[in-house]
Amino acid sequence: MIASLNGIVKRYDSKLVLDYIDLEINEGQIIGLLGPNGAGKSTLIRCLTGMETVNQGNVTLFGDGKKPFQNKNKEKIGLVTQEISIFPELTAKENANFFAGVYGLKGEERKRRVAEALAFVGLAEQTKGKAQNFSGGMQRRLNIACSLVHNPKLLIMDEPTVGIDTQSRNHILQAVKQLQSKGTTILYTTHYMEEVEAIASEVVILDKGQIITKGTVQELIQNIQHEEKIKVEVSHPEEVSLANIQALPDVKQVIKDGNQILIVTSANSGHLDRILTIIKEDSGVVGINVEKPNLEDVFLTLTGRTLRDGGSV
Amino acid sequence: MMRVLRTIPYTLIRMSRDYITLLLLLVVPIILITIFYFVLGDMKNQYGDLAFYDTAQLMTLVFQLFGGSIVIAYIQDDLFSARRQRILVAPMSLPLYALSISLCGMFFSIFLGFLLVLFTGVGLNVEWGNVFWVMYIIALLAVLSSLVSLILIFSVKNIKLAERLSDVYGIGCVVLAGLFFPIPDYPVITFINEYLNPLLLAANAISYAQSNLFSDAYIYMFRLGIGIVITFIIVYVLGRRKI
């Protein structure tokens, strides 16, 4: 096991920020830590890395539960901070060199690792450019390179894609997958569920300081999957027999909306073929769309609120 | 220890590229001193020396009082802003890193003072006397100003307040020294200027050395040294609490 949190409680004065958190991070995983703003994600990271002392519970890093935050263990951790924390006056290469030195890299190895880290984030051509002249996306990528330069076993990424363009976001997500394939374990926090769905091998959903659920994306969705929506676009909607569709078992609702027929069925009812057969008897089928639940629906089901803004629906 | 030492070249590079600081602590004094050079011309002081010498020396020392702003800015950036998280997670000693930043800031301030001495001495023929003694006194003044700035940043929560208080320290010393307008001869003010005002302690240490009155020069140097020891103890106590 790379790291674990056992019964972690963190309070700021009387405000409970982390409420008995239990979390295990195993080697080679990408754990997507998902939650709305203020859920406690950043505090969890601060407790995991020793930046904050915990009020209760234990942190174990690399099997070390007695002195988890000693330098020997810190050397194996890379942190991509939520806010860009590079030195704007230094060049990309100097920034990476600074952190390489801090993590004890020397000589040829240091040169090689700096070059590799900058190339990995797509900044090989901008090594001599000052960070302050970089775009937001490039600064984000340099922020990541500085965390990778020492080849950490555990990379913690705290909302690394906030405020950047789609191209840089995709580059970062691809980089995360590549890192996993090289054996790096990643804890990735975000409030963008699309990112977690794209990269995470396990998802942990945090809300109001509590882990409300965890598992793979599929597991989480299956747990809340009660129904699916099938939208069929037809050429002659007036001729389609809605009653025949409604008569099928597990079909809960059939609605005609213009050229579209919306059929709500129980999850995994397996009726798609039969529904299409019925419709084809009366009309041509122009298009089909089956809407599956996503992590947003998981969060909505468990909390009654939307993930992106934490607002009620 | 070695890991912190490896950061020092980069801290110095950052400082050397901090163009606002260079403008305020090097370019502005050079411009002001040059203006005074032309304004005062051949005007003599009460001892028959060029009045411009006194002005150039005092202005060089005055800008050392504001050198502490370098330390405030870098301590704030690295230890009390977004970068703090990354530094905290790194496998190195945070107090040692803070010390390295402070020493770099002091060194940089001393270096800027050296450039001013060089410019006034070589460019404007100001007679400084023993340059090594002058640099030693400037170094003491820079260290003291940096320590005062550290006390301020460790004492208040708001960085802007620390910066303003640092300005108050610098301007207060200048005002008490009577450089803006004549100061009444009250015993309290005389005591402050004789024992506490680092600007006048440094100026007197240099002035007496120029007159070969080294026993008096040592007294003022010693008072500066006492100030450094006291402020260092305060910084140590406050720093342990804050970092």
Side-chain angles (χ1 to χ4, degrees), chain A residues 74-75 79 85-87 89 94 97 99 101-103 106 110 143 147, chain B residues 3 6-7 10 14 17 19 82-83 85-86 88-91 97:
Chain A
K74 281 183 165 183
E75 284 172 9
L79 173 68
S85 52
I86 50 177
F87 301 107
E89 314 90 344
E94 287 165 346
N97 253 313
F99 289 102
V102 164
Y103 281 87
K106 285 179 269 185
R110 180 168 166 172
N143 201 35
S147 313
Chain B
R3 294 174 185 211
R6 285 192 202 109
T7 67
Y10 297 100
R14 287 166 62 200
R17 290 179 187 161
Y19 302 121
R83 214 172 287 138
Q85 290 196 351
R86 182 161 260 163
L88 278 174
V89 169
Y97 183 62

PDB file of all heavy atoms in Angstrom, chain A residues 74-75 79 85-87 89 94 97 99 101-103 106 110 143 147, chain B residues 3 6-7 10 14 17 19 82-83 85-86 88-91 97:
ATOM      1  N   LYS A  74       8.883  11.811   2.234  1.00  0.00           N
ATOM      2  CA  LYS A  74       8.550  13.004   1.439  1.00  0.00           C
ATOM      3  C   LYS A  74       9.193  12.965   0.058  1.00  0.00           C
ATOM      4  O   LYS A  74       8.648  13.491  -0.907  1.00  0.00           O
ATOM      5  CB  LYS A  74       9.018  14.271   2.175  1.00  0.00           C
ATOM      6  CG  LYS A  74       8.096  14.721   3.296  1.00  0.00           C
ATOM      7  CD  LYS A  74       8.636  16.014   3.882  1.00  0.00           C
ATOM      8  CE  LYS A  74       7.612  16.730   4.746  1.00  0.00           C
ATOM      9  NZ  LYS A  74       8.149  18.015   5.250  1.00  0.00           N
ATOM     10  N   GLU A  75      10.370  12.342  -0.019  1.00  0.00           N
ATOM     11  CA  GLU A  75      11.068  12.254  -1.300  1.00  0.00           C
ATOM     12  C   GLU A  75      10.263  11.500  -2.347  1.00  0.00           C
ATOM     13  O   GLU A  75      10.494  11.654  -3.544  1.00  0.00           O
ATOM     14  CB  GLU A  75      12.413  11.524  -1.115  1.00  0.00           C
ATOM     15  CG  GLU A  75      13.475  12.362  -0.472  1.00  0.00           C
ATOM     16  CD  GLU A  75      14.709  11.548  -0.132  1.00  0.00           C
ATOM     17  OE1 GLU A  75      14.789  10.369  -0.547  1.00  0.00           O
ATOM     18  OE2 GLU A  75      15.585  12.087   0.558  1.00  0.00           O
ATOM     19  N   LEU A  79       3.697  16.885  -5.360  1.00  0.00           N
ATOM     20  CA  LEU A  79       2.433  17.589  -5.155  1.00  0.00           C
ATOM     21  C   LEU A  79       2.242  18.634  -6.249  1.00  0.00           C
ATOM     22  O   LEU A  79       3.071  19.522  -6.419  1.00  0.00           O
ATOM     23  CB  LEU A  79       2.416  18.277  -3.781  1.00  0.00           C
ATOM     24  CG  LEU A  79       1.209  19.186  -3.519  1.00  0.00           C
ATOM     25  CD1 LEU A  79      -0.082  18.372  -3.413  1.00  0.00           C
ATOM     26  CD2 LEU A  79       1.410  20.020  -2.256  1.00  0.00           C
ATOM     27  N   SER A  85       2.385  27.220  -8.351  1.00  0.00           N
ATOM     28  CA  SER A  85       3.398  27.579  -7.349  1.00  0.00           C
ATOM     29  C   SER A  85       4.796  27.381  -7.912  1.00  0.00           C
ATOM     30  O   SER A  85       5.604  26.662  -7.357  1.00  0.00           O
ATOM     31  CB  SER A  85       3.190  26.766  -6.075  1.00  0.00           C
ATOM     32  OG  SER A  85       3.126  25.398  -6.382  1.00  0.00           O
ATOM     33  N   ILE A  86       5.020  28.036  -9.043  1.00  0.00           N
ATOM     34  CA  ILE A  86       6.359  28.039  -9.626  1.00  0.00           C
ATOM     35  C   ILE A  86       6.962  29.432  -9.394  1.00  0.00           C
ATOM     36  O   ILE A  86       6.291  30.317  -8.877  1.00  0.00           O
ATOM     37  CB  ILE A  86       6.295  27.722 -11.128  1.00  0.00           C
ATOM     38  CG1 ILE A  86       5.254  28.623 -11.801  1.00  0.00           C
ATOM     39  CG2 ILE A  86       5.971  26.256 -11.351  1.00  0.00           C
ATOM     40  CD1 ILE A  86       5.135  28.463 -13.281  1.00  0.00           C
ATOM     41  N   PHE A  87       8.211  29.591  -9.781  1.00  0.00           N
ATOM     42  CA  PHE A  87       8.861  30.892  -9.619  1.00  0.00           C
ATOM     43  C   PHE A  87       8.757  31.654 -10.940  1.00  0.00           C
ATOM     44  O   PHE A  87       9.407  31.263 -11.913  1.00  0.00           O
ATOM     45  CB  PHE A  87      10.330  30.716  -9.220  1.00  0.00           C
ATOM     46  CG  PHE A  87      10.510  29.965  -7.935  1.00  0.00           C
ATOM     47  CD1 PHE A  87      10.978  28.660  -7.920  1.00  0.00           C
ATOM     48  CD2 PHE A  87      10.203  30.555  -6.721  1.00  0.00           C
ATOM     49  CE1 PHE A  87      11.143  27.963  -6.741  1.00  0.00           C
ATOM     50  CE2 PHE A  87      10.359  29.872  -5.529  1.00  0.00           C
ATOM     51  CZ  PHE A  87      10.831  28.571  -5.539  1.00  0.00           C
ATOM     52  N   GLU A  89       9.968  34.388 -11.988  1.00  0.00           N
ATOM     53  CA  GLU A  89      11.168  35.063 -12.509  1.00  0.00           C
ATOM     54  C   GLU A  89      12.147  34.070 -13.134  1.00  0.00           C
ATOM     55  O   GLU A  89      13.064  34.471 -13.860  1.00  0.00           O
ATOM     56  CB  GLU A  89      11.921  35.798 -11.384  1.00  0.00           C
ATOM     57  CG  GLU A  89      11.067  36.630 -10.444  1.00  0.00           C
ATOM     58  CD  GLU A  89      10.572  35.839  -9.243  1.00  0.00           C
ATOM     59  OE1 GLU A  89      10.621  34.584  -9.266  1.00  0.00           O
ATOM     60  OE2 GLU A  89      10.116  36.464  -8.275  1.00  0.00           O
ATOM     61  N   GLU A  94      15.117  26.421 -15.061  1.00  0.00           N
ATOM     62  CA  GLU A  94      15.576  26.802 -13.711  1.00  0.00           C
ATOM     63  C   GLU A  94      14.563  26.372 -12.651  1.00  0.00           C
ATOM     64  O   GLU A  94      14.956  25.906 -11.569  1.00  0.00           O
ATOM     65  CB  GLU A  94      15.801  28.320 -13.651  1.00  0.00           C
ATOM     66  CG  GLU A  94      17.038  28.774 -14.405  1.00  0.00           C
ATOM     67  CD  GLU A  94      17.082  30.279 -14.663  1.00  0.00           C
ATOM     68  OE1 GLU A  94      16.038  30.958 -14.496  1.00  0.00           O
ATOM     69  OE2 GLU A  94      18.135  30.764 -15.083  1.00  0.00           O
ATOM     70  N   ASN A  97      14.993  22.731 -12.215  1.00  0.00           N
ATOM     71  CA  ASN A  97      16.274  22.500 -11.549  1.00  0.00           C
ATOM     72  C   ASN A  97      16.199  22.796 -10.060  1.00  0.00           C
ATOM     73  O   ASN A  97      16.801  22.099  -9.248  1.00  0.00           O
ATOM     74  CB  ASN A  97      17.343  23.399 -12.176  1.00  0.00           C
ATOM     75  CG  ASN A  97      18.291  22.594 -13.045  1.00  0.00           C
ATOM     76  OD1 ASN A  97      18.779  21.548 -12.629  1.00  0.00           O
ATOM     77  ND2 ASN A  97      18.515  23.067 -14.253  1.00  0.00           N
ATOM     78  N   PHE A  99      13.632  22.478  -8.059  1.00  0.00           N
ATOM     79  CA  PHE A  99      12.975  21.389  -7.327  1.00  0.00           C
ATOM     80  C   PHE A  99      13.776  20.081  -7.415  1.00  0.00           C
ATOM     81  O   PHE A  99      13.752  19.283  -6.486  1.00  0.00           O
ATOM     82  CB  PHE A  99      11.542  21.215  -7.819  1.00  0.00           C
ATOM     83  CG  PHE A  99      10.660  22.352  -7.374  1.00  0.00           C
ATOM     84  CD1 PHE A  99      10.311  23.371  -8.242  1.00  0.00           C
ATOM     85  CD2 PHE A  99      10.236  22.436  -6.064  1.00  0.00           C
ATOM     86  CE1 PHE A  99       9.537  24.444  -7.818  1.00  0.00           C
ATOM     87  CE2 PHE A  99       9.464  23.501  -5.624  1.00  0.00           C
ATOM     88  CZ  PHE A  99       9.116  24.506  -6.501  1.00  0.00           C
ATOM     89  N   GLY A 101      16.957  19.939  -7.275  1.00  0.00           N
ATOM     90  CA  GLY A 101      17.957  20.091  -6.221  1.00  0.00           C
ATOM     91  C   GLY A 101      17.371  19.850  -4.842  1.00  0.00           C
ATOM     92  O   GLY A 101      17.970  19.187  -4.001  1.00  0.00           O
ATOM     93  N   VAL A 102      16.170  20.368  -4.647  1.00  0.00           N
ATOM     94  CA  VAL A 102      15.494  20.203  -3.357  1.00  0.00           C
ATOM     95  C   VAL A 102      15.256  18.708  -3.064  1.00  0.00           C
ATOM     96  O   VAL A 102      15.351  18.272  -1.915  1.00  0.00           O
ATOM     97  CB  VAL A 102      14.147  20.980  -3.364  1.00  0.00           C
ATOM     98  CG1 VAL A 102      13.256  20.529  -2.219  1.00  0.00           C
ATOM     99  CG2 VAL A 102      14.404  22.472  -3.284  1.00  0.00           C
ATOM    100  N   TYR A 103      14.985  17.947  -4.127  1.00  0.00           N
ATOM    101  CA  TYR A 103      14.727  16.519  -3.932  1.00  0.00           C
ATOM    102  C   TYR A 103      16.001  15.678  -4.038  1.00  0.00           C
ATOM    103  O   TYR A 103      15.935  14.457  -4.178  1.00  0.00           O
ATOM    104  CB  TYR A 103      13.661  16.043  -4.919  1.00  0.00           C
ATOM    105  CG  TYR A 103      12.269  16.424  -4.454  1.00  0.00           C
ATOM    106  CD1 TYR A 103      11.720  17.657  -4.774  1.00  0.00           C
ATOM    107  CD2 TYR A 103      11.528  15.571  -3.639  1.00  0.00           C
ATOM    108  CE1 TYR A 103      10.469  18.031  -4.317  1.00  0.00           C
ATOM    109  CE2 TYR A 103      10.272  15.935  -3.178  1.00  0.00           C
ATOM    110  CZ  TYR A 103       9.748  17.161  -3.521  1.00  0.00           C
ATOM    111  OH  TYR A 103       8.515  17.521  -3.055  1.00  0.00           O
ATOM    112  N   LYS A 106      21.324  15.143  -8.416  1.00  0.00           N
ATOM    113  CA  LYS A 106      22.613  15.797  -8.676  1.00  0.00           C
ATOM    114  C   LYS A 106      23.145  15.416 -10.058  1.00  0.00           C
ATOM    115  O   LYS A 106      22.751  14.393 -10.624  1.00  0.00           O
ATOM    116  CB  LYS A 106      23.642  15.352  -7.625  1.00  0.00           C
ATOM    117  CG  LYS A 106      23.443  15.975  -6.265  1.00  0.00           C
ATOM    118  CD  LYS A 106      24.467  15.470  -5.268  1.00  0.00           C
ATOM    119  CE  LYS A 106      23.951  14.248  -4.533  1.00  0.00           C
ATOM    120  NZ  LYS A 106      24.803  13.761  -3.486  1.00  0.00           N
ATOM    121  N   ARG A 110      20.328  14.752 -12.569  1.00  0.00           N
ATOM    122  CA  ARG A 110      19.506  15.959 -12.427  1.00  0.00           C
ATOM    123  C   ARG A 110      19.203  16.557 -13.810  1.00  0.00           C
ATOM    124  O   ARG A 110      18.059  16.868 -14.118  1.00  0.00           O
ATOM    125  CB  ARG A 110      20.261  16.955 -11.553  1.00  0.00           C
ATOM    126  CG  ARG A 110      19.537  18.258 -11.324  1.00  0.00           C
ATOM    127  CD  ARG A 110      20.255  19.012 -10.222  1.00  0.00           C
ATOM    128  NE  ARG A 110      19.857  20.399 -10.130  1.00  0.00           N
ATOM    129  CZ  ARG A 110      20.238  21.204  -9.145  1.00  0.00           C
ATOM    130  NH1 ARG A 110      20.996  20.751  -8.189  1.00  0.00           N
ATOM    131  NH2 ARG A 110      19.851  22.458  -9.117  1.00  0.00           N
ATOM    132  N   ASN A 143       4.057  23.655 -13.658  1.00  0.00           N
ATOM    133  CA  ASN A 143       3.729  23.325 -12.261  1.00  0.00           C
ATOM    134  C   ASN A 143       3.773  21.807 -12.064  1.00  0.00           C
ATOM    135  O   ASN A 143       4.270  21.303 -11.055  1.00  0.00           O
ATOM    136  CB  ASN A 143       2.320  23.866 -11.961  1.00  0.00           C
ATOM    137  CG  ASN A 143       2.063  24.046 -10.487  1.00  0.00           C
ATOM    138  OD1 ASN A 143       2.958  24.402  -9.743  1.00  0.00           O
ATOM    139  ND2 ASN A 143       0.835  23.788 -10.075  1.00  0.00           N
ATOM    140  N   SER A 147       6.693  18.993 -10.139  1.00  0.00           N
ATOM    141  CA  SER A 147       6.291  17.957  -9.180  1.00  0.00           C
ATOM    142  C   SER A 147       6.753  16.569  -9.612  1.00  0.00           C
ATOM    143  O   SER A 147       6.771  15.642  -8.820  1.00  0.00           O
ATOM    144  CB  SER A 147       4.767  17.917  -9.047  1.00  0.00           C
ATOM    145  OG  SER A 147       4.272  19.191  -8.886  1.00  0.00           O
TER     146      SER A 147
ATOM    147  N   ARG B   3      20.449  20.355   0.452  1.00  0.00           N
ATOM    148  CA  ARG B   3      19.295  20.641  -0.418  1.00  0.00           C
ATOM    149  C   ARG B   3      18.943  22.124  -0.360  1.00  0.00           C
ATOM    150  O   ARG B   3      18.576  22.710  -1.378  1.00  0.00           O
ATOM    151  CB  ARG B   3      18.112  19.791   0.013  1.00  0.00           C
ATOM    152  CG  ARG B   3      18.385  18.333  -0.221  1.00  0.00           C
ATOM    153  CD  ARG B   3      17.307  17.439   0.309  1.00  0.00           C
ATOM    154  NE  ARG B   3      17.753  16.060   0.132  1.00  0.00           N
ATOM    155  CZ  ARG B   3      16.976  15.042  -0.079  1.00  0.00           C
ATOM    156  NH1 ARG B   3      15.686  15.218  -0.140  1.00  0.00           N
ATOM    157  NH2 ARG B   3      17.462  13.843  -0.229  1.00  0.00           N
ATOM    158  N   ARG B   6      21.463  24.149  -2.300  1.00  0.00           N
ATOM    159  CA  ARG B   6      21.257  24.101  -3.760  1.00  0.00           C
ATOM    160  C   ARG B   6      20.211  25.099  -4.233  1.00  0.00           C
ATOM    161  O   ARG B   6      20.148  25.422  -5.416  1.00  0.00           O
ATOM    162  CB  ARG B   6      20.824  22.679  -4.169  1.00  0.00           C
ATOM    163  CG  ARG B   6      21.959  21.692  -4.157  1.00  0.00           C
ATOM    164  CD  ARG B   6      21.585  20.389  -4.847  1.00  0.00           C
ATOM    165  NE  ARG B   6      22.467  19.340  -4.369  1.00  0.00           N
ATOM    166  CZ  ARG B   6      22.095  18.358  -3.567  1.00  0.00           C
ATOM    167  NH1 ARG B   6      20.841  18.266  -3.176  1.00  0.00           N
ATOM    168  NH2 ARG B   6      22.954  17.463  -3.170  1.00  0.00           N
ATOM    169  N   THR B   7      19.371  25.578  -3.324  1.00  0.00           N
ATOM    170  CA  THR B   7      18.340  26.547  -3.735  1.00  0.00           C
ATOM    171  C   THR B   7      18.902  27.973  -3.819  1.00  0.00           C
ATOM    172  O   THR B   7      18.315  28.826  -4.474  1.00  0.00           O
ATOM    173  CB  THR B   7      17.157  26.568  -2.747  1.00  0.00           C
ATOM    174  OG1 THR B   7      17.608  27.092  -1.485  1.00  0.00           O
ATOM    175  CG2 THR B   7      16.552  25.198  -2.533  1.00  0.00           C
ATOM    176  N   TYR B  10      19.399  29.898  -7.117  1.00  0.00           N
ATOM    177  CA  TYR B  10      18.122  30.249  -7.769  1.00  0.00           C
ATOM    178  C   TYR B  10      17.441  31.422  -7.050  1.00  0.00           C
ATOM    179  O   TYR B  10      16.811  32.254  -7.680  1.00  0.00           O
ATOM    180  CB  TYR B  10      17.210  29.027  -7.838  1.00  0.00           C
ATOM    181  CG  TYR B  10      17.830  27.956  -8.688  1.00  0.00           C
ATOM    182  CD1 TYR B  10      18.486  26.871  -8.118  1.00  0.00           C
ATOM    183  CD2 TYR B  10      17.823  28.063 -10.078  1.00  0.00           C
ATOM    184  CE1 TYR B  10      19.107  25.908  -8.898  1.00  0.00           C
ATOM    185  CE2 TYR B  10      18.441  27.112 -10.866  1.00  0.00           C
ATOM    186  CZ  TYR B  10      19.083  26.033 -10.270  1.00  0.00           C
ATOM    187  OH  TYR B  10      19.698  25.113 -11.051  1.00  0.00           O
ATOM    188  N   ARG B  14      16.587  34.910  -8.824  1.00  0.00           N
ATOM    189  CA  ARG B  14      15.255  35.549  -8.733  1.00  0.00           C
ATOM    190  C   ARG B  14      15.399  37.009  -8.309  1.00  0.00           C
ATOM    191  O   ARG B  14      14.747  37.892  -8.856  1.00  0.00           O
ATOM    192  CB  ARG B  14      14.391  34.801  -7.712  1.00  0.00           C
ATOM    193  CG  ARG B  14      13.918  33.447  -8.200  1.00  0.00           C
ATOM    194  CD  ARG B  14      13.366  32.638  -7.050  1.00  0.00           C
ATOM    195  NE  ARG B  14      12.222  33.252  -6.425  1.00  0.00           N
ATOM    196  CZ  ARG B  14      11.796  32.965  -5.200  1.00  0.00           C
ATOM    197  NH1 ARG B  14      12.440  32.080  -4.464  1.00  0.00           N
ATOM    198  NH2 ARG B  14      10.743  33.551  -4.712  1.00  0.00           N
ATOM    199  N   ARG B  17      16.598  39.323 -10.930  1.00  0.00           N
ATOM    200  CA  ARG B  17      15.633  39.598 -12.003  1.00  0.00           C
ATOM    201  C   ARG B  17      14.401  40.346 -11.486  1.00  0.00           C
ATOM    202  O   ARG B  17      13.435  40.517 -12.227  1.00  0.00           O
ATOM    203  CB  ARG B  17      15.186  38.277 -12.640  1.00  0.00           C
ATOM    204  CG  ARG B  17      16.274  37.622 -13.455  1.00  0.00           C
ATOM    205  CD  ARG B  17      15.810  36.313 -14.041  1.00  0.00           C
ATOM    206  NE  ARG B  17      16.910  35.610 -14.673  1.00  0.00           N
ATOM    207  CZ  ARG B  17      16.913  34.309 -14.959  1.00  0.00           C
ATOM    208  NH1 ARG B  17      15.840  33.594 -14.681  1.00  0.00           N
ATOM    209  NH2 ARG B  17      17.954  33.738 -15.519  1.00  0.00           N
ATOM    210  N   TYR B  19      13.091  43.339 -11.164  1.00  0.00           N
ATOM    211  CA  TYR B  19      13.429  44.650 -11.714  1.00  0.00           C
ATOM    212  C   TYR B  19      12.821  45.808 -10.910  1.00  0.00           C
ATOM    213  O   TYR B  19      13.369  46.899 -10.889  1.00  0.00           O
ATOM    214  CB  TYR B  19      13.011  44.713 -13.186  1.00  0.00           C
ATOM    215  CG  TYR B  19      13.675  43.630 -13.998  1.00  0.00           C
ATOM    216  CD1 TYR B  19      12.930  42.681 -14.690  1.00  0.00           C
ATOM    217  CD2 TYR B  19      15.067  43.530 -14.031  1.00  0.00           C
ATOM    218  CE1 TYR B  19      13.553  41.662 -15.400  1.00  0.00           C
ATOM    219  CE2 TYR B  19      15.696  42.514 -14.736  1.00  0.00           C
ATOM    220  CZ  TYR B  19      14.928  41.577 -15.419  1.00  0.00           C
ATOM    221  OH  TYR B  19      15.553  40.573 -16.102  1.00  0.00           O
ATOM    222  N   ALA B  82       0.941  30.749  -1.949  1.00  0.00           N
ATOM    223  CA  ALA B  82       0.618  29.456  -2.579  1.00  0.00           C
ATOM    224  C   ALA B  82       1.825  28.523  -2.616  1.00  0.00           C
ATOM    225  O   ALA B  82       1.686  27.307  -2.528  1.00  0.00           O
ATOM    226  CB  ALA B  82       0.130  29.703  -3.991  1.00  0.00           C
ATOM    227  N   ARG B  83       3.003  29.088  -2.718  1.00  0.00           N
ATOM    228  CA  ARG B  83       4.210  28.259  -2.830  1.00  0.00           C
ATOM    229  C   ARG B  83       4.525  27.529  -1.525  1.00  0.00           C
ATOM    230  O   ARG B  83       5.292  26.559  -1.506  1.00  0.00           O
ATOM    231  CB  ARG B  83       5.379  29.150  -3.240  1.00  0.00           C
ATOM    232  CG  ARG B  83       6.372  28.460  -4.126  1.00  0.00           C
ATOM    233  CD  ARG B  83       7.389  29.431  -4.660  1.00  0.00           C
ATOM    234  NE  ARG B  83       6.834  30.292  -5.674  1.00  0.00           N
ATOM    235  CZ  ARG B  83       7.086  31.596  -5.765  1.00  0.00           C
ATOM    236  NH1 ARG B  83       7.854  32.184  -4.892  1.00  0.00           N
ATOM    237  NH2 ARG B  83       6.562  32.329  -6.726  1.00  0.00           N
ATOM    238  N   GLN B  85       2.822  25.484   0.213  1.00  0.00           N
ATOM    239  CA  GLN B  85       2.461  24.065   0.213  1.00  0.00           C
ATOM    240  C   GLN B  85       3.575  23.224  -0.400  1.00  0.00           C
ATOM    241  O   GLN B  85       3.955  22.186   0.132  1.00  0.00           O
ATOM    242  CB  GLN B  85       1.184  23.857  -0.593  1.00  0.00           C
ATOM    243  CG  GLN B  85      -0.039  24.414   0.087  1.00  0.00           C
ATOM    244  CD  GLN B  85      -1.316  23.880  -0.510  1.00  0.00           C
ATOM    245  OE1 GLN B  85      -1.307  23.220  -1.538  1.00  0.00           O
ATOM    246  NE2 GLN B  85      -2.423  24.173   0.124  1.00  0.00           N
ATOM    247  N   ARG B  86       4.078  23.702  -1.530  1.00  0.00           N
ATOM    248  CA  ARG B  86       5.110  22.923  -2.229  1.00  0.00           C
ATOM    249  C   ARG B  86       6.392  22.869  -1.396  1.00  0.00           C
ATOM    250  O   ARG B  86       7.073  21.851  -1.358  1.00  0.00           O
ATOM    251  CB  ARG B  86       5.369  23.570  -3.585  1.00  0.00           C
ATOM    252  CG  ARG B  86       6.363  22.844  -4.400  1.00  0.00           C
ATOM    253  CD  ARG B  86       6.262  23.202  -5.851  1.00  0.00           C
ATOM    254  NE  ARG B  86       5.525  22.201  -6.591  1.00  0.00           N
ATOM    255  CZ  ARG B  86       5.015  22.410  -7.779  1.00  0.00           C
ATOM    256  NH1 ARG B  86       5.111  23.574  -8.352  1.00  0.00           N
ATOM    257  NH2 ARG B  86       4.388  21.443  -8.413  1.00  0.00           N
ATOM    258  N   LEU B  88       6.505  23.117   1.895  1.00  0.00           N
ATOM    259  CA  LEU B  88       6.231  22.274   3.078  1.00  0.00           C
ATOM    260  C   LEU B  88       6.336  20.790   2.751  1.00  0.00           C
ATOM    261  O   LEU B  88       6.777  19.994   3.576  1.00  0.00           O
ATOM    262  CB  LEU B  88       4.820  22.569   3.603  1.00  0.00           C
ATOM    263  CG  LEU B  88       4.645  23.780   4.505  1.00  0.00           C
ATOM    264  CD1 LEU B  88       3.172  24.007   4.799  1.00  0.00           C
ATOM    265  CD2 LEU B  88       5.413  23.615   5.798  1.00  0.00           C
ATOM    266  N   VAL B  89       5.918  20.414   1.540  1.00  0.00           N
ATOM    267  CA  VAL B  89       5.926  19.001   1.154  1.00  0.00           C
ATOM    268  C   VAL B  89       7.340  18.538   0.794  1.00  0.00           C
ATOM    269  O   VAL B  89       7.641  17.357   0.859  1.00  0.00           O
ATOM    270  CB  VAL B  89       4.940  18.789  -0.029  1.00  0.00           C
ATOM    271  CG1 VAL B  89       5.089  17.422  -0.644  1.00  0.00           C
ATOM    272  CG2 VAL B  89       3.515  18.979   0.457  1.00  0.00           C
ATOM    273  N   ALA B  90       8.202  19.483   0.442  1.00  0.00           N
ATOM    274  CA  ALA B  90       9.562  19.122   0.016  1.00  0.00           C
ATOM    275  C   ALA B  90      10.387  18.585   1.184  1.00  0.00           C
ATOM    276  O   ALA B  90      10.201  19.011   2.315  1.00  0.00           O
ATOM    277  CB  ALA B  90      10.247  20.353  -0.582  1.00  0.00           C
ATOM    278  N   PRO B  91      11.286  17.657   0.880  1.00  0.00           N
ATOM    279  CA  PRO B  91      12.094  17.064   1.957  1.00  0.00           C
ATOM    280  C   PRO B  91      13.267  17.946   2.359  1.00  0.00           C
ATOM    281  O   PRO B  91      14.426  17.596   2.149  1.00  0.00           O
ATOM    282  CB  PRO B  91      12.571  15.748   1.330  1.00  0.00           C
ATOM    283  CG  PRO B  91      12.613  16.028  -0.125  1.00  0.00           C
ATOM    284  CD  PRO B  91      11.552  17.036  -0.423  1.00  0.00           C
ATOM    285  N   TYR B  97      15.441  26.870   5.158  1.00  0.00           N
ATOM    286  CA  TYR B  97      15.123  27.521   3.885  1.00  0.00           C
ATOM    287  C   TYR B  97      14.799  29.000   4.134  1.00  0.00           C
ATOM    288  O   TYR B  97      15.245  29.868   3.376  1.00  0.00           O
ATOM    289  CB  TYR B  97      13.958  26.809   3.197  1.00  0.00           C
ATOM    290  CG  TYR B  97      13.621  27.392   1.844  1.00  0.00           C
ATOM    291  CD1 TYR B  97      14.548  27.371   0.809  1.00  0.00           C
ATOM    292  CD2 TYR B  97      12.388  27.979   1.603  1.00  0.00           C
ATOM    293  CE1 TYR B  97      14.252  27.924  -0.430  1.00  0.00           C
ATOM    294  CE2 TYR B  97      12.084  28.534   0.376  1.00  0.00           C
ATOM    295  CZ  TYR B  97      13.018  28.497  -0.639  1.00  0.00           C
ATOM    296  OH  TYR B  97      12.726  29.056  -1.866  1.00  0.00           O
TER     297      TYR B  97
END
